[in-house]
Amino acid sequence: MTDYRSEASVGARIKLARRERGFRTTRDLAEAVPEGNITAAILENIESGRKADISVSQLLNIARALNVPPSYLLAPMGTPNSTLDLPNLSADFNGMTAAEFDCWLSATPGSSYRPRLAAERTDINILGTLRELGSLGRELERLQIVLAVQSGDPDLADANTEVQQRIERTQAEARRLAGLLTSGGLSGVAAGIAGAES
């Protein structure tokens, strides 16, 4: 079976991804987008190439229903060095590879995409910090569950002390990152950290 991620158009990638994910017809996929802006007719037109311009909400609804990252539909990620094949883009995208496009779209620092401006580099770093902060929040939740489960067992006193120390280090790092983001102009980050620490 052909890998949808290597197909040469958005429509072909959607069609193969739909089939790979078990949606036999465009109607099946359209029904998987409740209250969405996707109909079987729209999907048929996208898949056949008759509809080249897809709205952002349509693309995201399709990607979510298929449970695939949007980059897989937007670019031929199965051949990461091939050039971007989206229609109607400005000349700024000429020569951009699928891998570079994904890195630009996901704001991945230190990747194959090179920011053109210092402000863009700063924005990418801020997004990376937000992702790291989200990971720390999930780790705090996990550690707090471990501590809650183990707290009643006196044989695990040393382990509980270690878990508590890890929680404190993780909270300190989360506060540090929140402070960086706040100083970078993002408000509301500290409130999210306070909620994770309670």
Side-chain angles (χ1 to χ4, degrees):
M1 179 177 203
T2 306
D3 184 353
Y4 75 92
R5 295 168 294 191
S6 300
E7 286 299 306
S9 72
V10 173
R13 287 189 288 272
I14 289 172
K15 183 177 185 174
L16 285 177
R18 171 178 57 79
R19 289 178 177 168
E20 184 178 302
R21 294 296 197 258
F23 296 101
R24 289 189 13 220
T25 67
T26 55
R27 179 168 308 287
D28 293 340
L29 179 54
E31 289 173 358
V33 183
E35 301 175 29
N37 54 354
I38 302 296
T39 64
I42 289 172
L43 278 168
E44 288 169 14
N45 286 330
I46 291 169
E47 289 182 0
S48 69
R50 291 187 301 269
K51 179 176 173 49
D53 286 337
I54 305 170
S55 72
V56 172
S57 63
Q58 287 173 328
L59 178 83
L60 294 177
N61 282 335
I62 292 168
R64 189 72 175 163
L66 291 171
N67 293 307
V68 300
S71 291
Y72 279 175
L73 301 180
L74 287 169
M77 297 308 299
T79 52
N81 293 323
S82 61
T83 55
L84 192 59
D85 60 4
L86 287 172
N88 304 320
L89 294 177
S90 73
D92 275 354
F93 289 94
N94 288 351
M96 185 181 276
T97 66
E100 290 169 333
F101 173 75
D102 177 60
C103 292
W104 171 76
L105 186 67
S106 64
T108 306
S111 61
S112 60
Y113 174 74
R114 300 291 178 245
R116 297 184 291 180
L117 302 171
E120 184 180 10
R121 189 171 36 257
T122 299
D123 290 342
I124 288 170
N125 288 335
I126 287 171
L127 287 170
T129 303
L130 282 169
R131 290 181 186 119
E132 188 175 346
L133 192 57
S135 294
L136 288 174
R138 287 187 299 279
E139 178 63 4
L140 275 173
E141 290 173 5
R142 187 189 73 77
L143 289 170
Q144 289 166 343
I145 290 169
V146 168
L147 190 60
V149 168
Q150 294 179 173
S151 64
D153 190 342
D155 294 333
L156 297 175
D158 290 340
N160 288 340
T161 300
E162 182 181 326
V163 171
Q164 187 59 48
Q165 290 170 348
R166 288 178 63 192
I167 287 172
E168 290 167 8
R169 287 192 305 268
T170 304
Q171 287 172 333
E173 178 63 5
R175 282 191 298 273
R176 185 186 75 79
L177 292 178
L180 288 173
L181 291 168
T182 300
S183 69
L186 291 179
S187 60
V189 176
I193 293 305
E197 291 183 0
S198 55

